[in-house]
Amino acid sequence: MHKLAAAFVVLASPAMATGLEIEIEGEGANGTVTVDLFEDLAPKHVEQITALAAGGQYDGVVFHRVIDGFMAQTGDVQHGRVGADMRRAGTGGSNRPDLPAEFSDYNFDRGVVGMARAQDPNSANSQFFIMFEPGPFLNGQYTVVGQVTDGMDVVDAIKRGDGPNGAVIGQPDAMKKVTVTE
């Protein structure tokens, strides 16, 4: 009976994903990026991202804000879809609630994945960014959710934006398909 109870507990517990596989396509980048997610640092944010990915919400979402030497931002499942009005991209989230900040001591180095948010530290929802270069000024100010483990060459090729806010002009590169990995 003890083994059966233990098996039930394992089956009844939510399966924690360990990563994402992001297929990117566009004028700049074409390929796959693998991300290791940090459930120990940001369990609520990782749960939100994996739920959105598992539901197909990130499929067809563009990299709307890309600043050379800084980061590439995506994940606006409300206004950031391929073919949508790109003037609104970056202003939306998802139908899930915003998340309380889960700040950590993990540094925003090259390849780190962080959650985008508004001025309110507790406003992260669906948008995230991948660092091109270290951004120590973000440390302790934004939630770290993961690290690129393969495909930084694909990230480096993402079509860059213009101006100080990095808005991508024309057709931005997009996440064709985002898959949750174990």
Side-chain angles (χ1 to χ4, degrees), residues 56-173:
Q57 294 296 299
Y58 285 129
D59 299 352
V61 174
V62 302
F63 285 88
H64 64 273
R65 182 174 182 239
V66 185
I67 301 173
D68 194 37
F70 180 33
M71 60 87 214
Q73 185 172 327
T74 185
D76 183 350
V77 301
Q78 184 178 12
H79 300 300
R81 299 207 173 275
V82 171
D85 181 352
M86 286 298 103
R87 292 174 296 187
R88 297 193 67 200
T91 64
S94 73
N95 60 358
R96 296 175 62 95
D98 287 350
L99 298 164
E102 294 179 294
F103 298 151
S104 68
D105 291 335
Y106 202 90
N107 290 332
F108 276 91
D109 292 328
R110 176 173 164 74
V112 166
V113 180
M115 289 298 286
R117 62 171 175 79
Q119 294 244 211
D120 179 356
N122 301 314
S123 63
N125 186 287
S126 64
Q127 295 184 46
F128 62 91
F129 56 91
I130 304 171
M131 301 297 293
F132 291 127
E133 301 294 335
F137 53 91
L138 300 176
N139 295 345
Q141 304 295 314
Y142 288 79
T143 299
V144 171
V145 294
Q147 172 77 47
V148 172
T149 56
D150 192 36
M152 269 310 289
D153 58 323
V154 178
V155 173
D156 288 337
I158 294 171
K159 183 178 176 183
R160 301 304 199 263
D162 293 321
N165 72 346
V168 178
I169 307 302
Q171 185 59 50
D173 291 352

Side-chain angles (χ1 to χ4, degrees), residues 20 48-61 76-77 81 175-180:
L20 297 175
Q48 182 113 317
I49 289 172
T50 56
L52 291 168
Q57 294 296 299
Y58 285 129
D59 299 352
V61 174
D76 183 350
V77 301
R81 299 207 173 275
M175 298 186 291
K176 179 180 179 184
K177 176 108 178 109
V178 180
T179 306
V180 178

